Amino acid sequence: MKTTVKSLEGSRQNIIIDGRFVKPNSGQYIPSYDPTTGESWYELAEADSSDVDAAVGAARAAFRNPAWRRMTQTDRGKLMRRLADLVLEHADELALIETRDNGKLIKEMRAQMRAMPDSYIYFAGMADKLQGETIPVNKLDMMNFNLREPIGVVGMITPWNSPLMLLTGTLAPCLAIGNTVVIKPSEHATASTLALAELIAEAGFPAGVVNVVTGTGRSAGEALTRHRDISKIVFTGSTDTGRRIAGNAAANLVPCQMELGGKSPHVIFSDVDIDHAVNGVVAGVFAAAGQTCVAGSRCFVEASVYDRFIEALVARTNRIKVGHPMADDTDIGPLALAAQVSKVESYVSSGVKEGARIAAGGKRPPAEDLARGWYFEPTVMIEAQNDMGFMRDELFGPVVGVMPFVSEEEMITLANDTRYGLASGIWTQNIDRAMRFANRIDAGTVWINTYRSAAYMSANGGFKESGYGRRGGFEVMREFSRLKNVVIDYSGTMQDPFVIRLR
Ligand code: NDP
C-alpha cells in the first residue's frame, strides 16, 4: 500500500478510475484539514460530472467484463478473503490515516481497522450462499424458480465519521454478490478510501470493479446521484442531504439505501445499577465525540432516581479526558469539522435560552494545547424538554439532554416523540417492561442493558426520517441483489393460445 500518512503529507491525491490513479478533468484540488490544528495536510482531486461519467462507465464495463461477471462465487469469496488479509496487514496504517483525517481516537480506529477484516470474511462466506428458490405453481410440467443476481453499478456516498467501517458494511456484500462500485467519500476524510482501493487492486479484483471519485458533495456527489447508469445509490449522512439524493435518484427511478440521522432515546429505570447505566449512556453518546448516527442523545430517567443519576453522570462526565487523538489517555478527541463545533456550540447556547441548564461541559476546552483544534467538552444538559432545538435535531457532537419521566406510558410517548427512528436503548431488570419497550419503540435497533453494541451479522437501519434499507446479516445480500423469475415448460408442447380450455 503506497498511500500512507507519510506519503499523503503535503501531497496531491488523484481519483481512481478503472484501476488507475488519474487527474481530475477540472485540474482542481481541494484541501483536507487536520482537525487537531485546522491546517491542510494534503489535497484531494475535485472530480466533476465528466470524471463521474468515466468512473460509472468503467464500473459498467467491469460489470460486463467476463473476468468479473463470469468469475465463480467461490472465487469471488477467495478474493475477498485475500482482501481481508491485506486489510489486516495494513490495519494500523489505515487507522493512522483515518485519525489524521477525522480526528477520531487512534486506539478506537486501530480496534476498528483490526476488526474490519472479519466483516470481509463474513461476506466472503456468503458469496456462494445467495440461493434462489423454486415455486410450486398450479400447472403440470412447469418449473418456476427465482434467481438472485447482482444489480449492476452501485454508487456509494460515504461520510467522514467512520469512513472505512461504514463503507465496508455495504461494499463487502456488494462485492460478494458481484456488483461493481463507484465510491464518493466525504471530502473531509477521503484518504483511507483511496488506500483501501489500492488494497482491493492488490488483492486481485479486476480493474474497474471499484472506482473512487473524490471531491465535494456539490460536484462529484451530485453528479453520481444524477447518473442514469447507476443501479442503486447507497448513502450515509444527514437527513437533508439524503432527501436531496433520493430526489435525484428518483428522477431516474434508481432505488436508494439511506442511513441518515438520529436522535436516539436512552431510557433508564430505577431498578438498575446506576453506575452501569451511566457507563452505557456515556458510551452511547460521548464515544467518537458524539459523531455516530446511533448516539443516544436524549436520555429519559425514571423520576425516583433522576437526581442520583444526574449526580453520577456529571461526575463521570467530568472525568472524561479531552485531548489529542493520538494520545493513549485521551477519551474524546476533536470533532472532524470546524462547522461541527460551531453547530454544537450554537445548539448548546440556544438550549440554555430555551430553559435547559448545563450540568457538565458546555464549551470548547480552555487548555492552551487544544486551542487550535476543533474540540468540544462532553456536555450534559439537564431540565431538557423534547421540543428544545438540541433535543429535536441531530447535533453529531458530545451532548446529551436528560429529562425525568414518571410512568412507562409517558416514557414511551417521549421516546417516540422525534422525527427520527434509528436506535434506542433501555436499562431495566424487568424483562416484561424491556419487551414492551422493544415492541412499542419506533427505532430500527433496540439495545437492552447495553448500547452501541453493533454487529455486522445483524441487520440494522432506520425508521421514519432515519432512512430505509438494512445493512448487515443476510438481509443486506437481498438489498444488493435482484430477483429474476424463470419459468420452464418441460411438457414438450405449446398449446394454441386462442383455444381456451376451462377445467
Ligand atoms: P452530509 O450528509 O451533507 O454529507 C455526507 C456525505 O454526502 C458526504 O460524502 C458529502 O460529501 C455528501 N454530499 C453532500 N451533499 C451532497 C449532494 N448534494 N449530493 C451528493 N452527495 C452529497 O453531512 P455533513 O458532512 O454536511 O454533516 C452534516 C450533518 O450530517 C452532521 O452534523 C450530522 O448531523 C449528519 N451526519 C450524519 C452521519 C451519519 O452517520 N448518519 C454522517 C455524517 C453526517 P462532502 O462531505 O464531500 O460534501
Side-chain angles (χ1 to χ4, degrees):
M1 191 175 83
K2 291 201 196 87
T3 307
T4 61
V5 166
K6 211 163 157 213
S7 77
L8 283 162
E9 199 79 54
S11 71
R12 275 196 159 173
Q13 293 297 311
N14 289 316
I15 53 185
I16 302 178
I17 298 180
D18 206 18
R20 279 173 303 124
F21 278 97
V22 292
K23 291 189 169 143
N25 289 330
S26 67
Q28 300 294 312
Y29 292 80
I30 52 177
S32 187
Y33 297 100
D34 177 339
T36 64
T37 61
E39 282 162 18
S40 165
W41 71 289
Y42 70 94
E43 288 183 329
L44 54 120
E46 171 72 300
D48 63 18
S49 57
S50 63
D51 301 303
V52 169
D53 203 35
V56 174
R60 184 56 70 185
F63 185 66
R64 293 196 194 106
N65 180 357
W68 181 242
R69 193 63 200 261
R70 293 189 53 76
M71 182 182 285
T72 65
Q73 299 86 321
T74 311
D75 285 345
R76 276 205 308 272
K78 283 183 194 157
L79 271 188
M80 290 186 59
R81 283 190 196 92
R82 212 171 299 150
L83 174 60
D85 289 343
L86 287 170
V87 171
L88 189 60
E89 194 184 314
H90 297 282
D92 289 356
E93 188 62 43
L94 291 170
L96 282 172
I97 295 172
E98 292 218 333
T99 291
R100 191 72 201 278
D101 239 358
N102 69 7
K104 282 179 78 174
L105 303 188
I106 187 66
K107 56 189 178 194
E108 185 188 347
M109 287 298 105
R110 259 191 214 122
Q112 219 175 69
M113 294 303 125
R114 288 178 192 178
M116 212 164 66
D118 292 347
S119 194
Y120 285 100
I121 292 167
Y122 175 79
F123 286 106
M126 288 204 181
D128 55 5
K129 292 171 192 65
L130 186 64
Q131 299 173 350
E133 57 200 349
T134 55
I135 297 135
V137 288
N138 60 346
K139 289 193 180 113
L140 293 174
D141 301 329
M142 293 285 249
M143 173 91 167
N144 185 317
F145 58 96
N146 288 337
L147 292 177
R148 284 259 162 207
E149 56 182 33
I151 52 181
V153 179
V154 180
M156 298 185 171
I157 296 176
T158 53
W160 36 263
N161 50 333
S162 275
L164 287 192
M165 194 196 72
L166 290 170
L167 170 66
T168 294
T170 48
L171 179 64
C174 265
L175 294 177
I177 293 164
N179 296 299
T180 59
V181 179
V182 178
I183 307 166
K184 205 303 273 177
S186 168
E187 75 200 83
H188 307 297
T190 292
S192 60
T193 304
L194 295 171
L196 181 74
E198 257 191 78
L199 296 181
I200 289 170
E202 204 176 320
F205 285 81
V209 169
V210 175
N211 307 273
V212 185
V213 286
T214 66
T216 60
R218 255 185 342 275
S219 174
E222 194 76 19
L224 189 58
T225 62
R226 288 181 187 279
H227 204 287
R228 299 189 77 138
D229 203 21
I230 287 282
S231 310
K232 186 156 188 165
I233 293 281
V234 175
F235 173 70
T236 311
S238 64
T239 295
D240 287 347
T241 302
R243 197 174 273 121
R244 182 178 171 86
I245 288 174
N248 290 347
N252 295 323
L253 296 178
V254 169
C256 295
Q257 192 199 68
M258 295 271 158
E259 172 145 330
L260 309 176
K263 200 70 207 173
S264 299
H266 205 156
V267 176
I268 317 298
F269 274 91
S270 59
D271 60 353
V272 294
D273 181 310
I274 293 292
D275 289 336
H276 289 175
V278 164
N279 284 340
V281 170
V282 165
V285 72
F286 296 147
Q291 301 169 110
T292 65
C293 46
V294 294
S297 48
R298 293 182 305 137
C299 185
F300 302 103
V301 184
E302 196 168 10
S304 57
V305 286
Y306 182 75
D307 290 342
R308 196 148 63 86
F309 179 84
I310 295 290
E311 194 184 324
L313 177 62
V314 168
R316 180 69 193 86
T317 303
N318 287 336
R319 288 202 307 277
I320 291 173
K321 183 162 185 322
V322 181
H324 196 285
M326 291 298 287
D328 276 342
D329 63 345
T330 295
D331 298 317
I332 288 190
L335 303 190
L337 323 180
Q340 279 298 121
V341 185
S342 316
K343 175 178 172 181
V344 171
E345 206 165 37
S346 127
Y347 270 99
V348 167
S349 78
S350 58
V352 170
K353 284 186 200 121
E354 288 168 295
R357 210 152 54 76
I358 297 169
K363 58 184 189 316
R364 297 175 194 232
E368 217 166 276
D369 58 331
L370 304 181
R372 285 195 309 150
W374 301 327
Y375 295 89
F376 201 84
E377 290 177 342
T379 299
V380 177
M381 305 279 282
I382 57 173
E383 289 157 36
Q385 295 293 328
N386 253 352
D387 59 358
M388 295 175 176
F390 75 97
M391 292 288 275
R392 271 200 325 268
D393 299 338
E394 182 180 53
L395 266 54
F396 232 57
V399 179
V400 62
V402 195
M403 62 185 290
F405 67 87
V406 176
S407 70
E408 197 177 312
E409 201 54 38
E410 180 194 7
M411 175 277 291
I412 198 80
T413 304
L414 289 170
N416 277 335
D417 177 21
T418 167
R419 62 194 172 106
Y420 296 112
L422 195 55
S424 62
I426 182 168
W427 291 78
T428 179
Q429 289 303 304
N430 182 329
I431 186 69
D432 299 356
R433 181 153 60 199
M435 281 311 299
R436 281 195 296 272
F437 178 80
N439 283 331
R440 294 182 68 190
I441 194 75
D442 281 333
T445 296
V446 182
W447 283 301
I448 300 174
N449 295 333
T450 183
Y451 202 90
R452 239 181 130 241
S453 151
Y456 49 83
M457 303 87 170
S458 59
N460 297 109
F463 296 159
K464 304 200 283 191
E465 292 189 26
S466 290
Y468 46 84
R470 290 294 176 268
R471 297 175 184 191
F474 202 76
E475 198 59 35
V476 74
M477 298 292 281
R478 295 194 187 92
E479 296 250 343
F480 291 108
S481 58
R482 64 184 186 186
L483 195 145
K484 186 178 277 171
N485 183 245
V486 183
V487 181
I488 308 173
D489 182 331
Y490 56 90
S491 67
T493 58
M494 181 72 199
Q495 298 299 330
D496 182 331
F498 301 113
V499 177
I500 299 171
R501 278 172 298 154
L502 295 175
R503 274 191 292 165

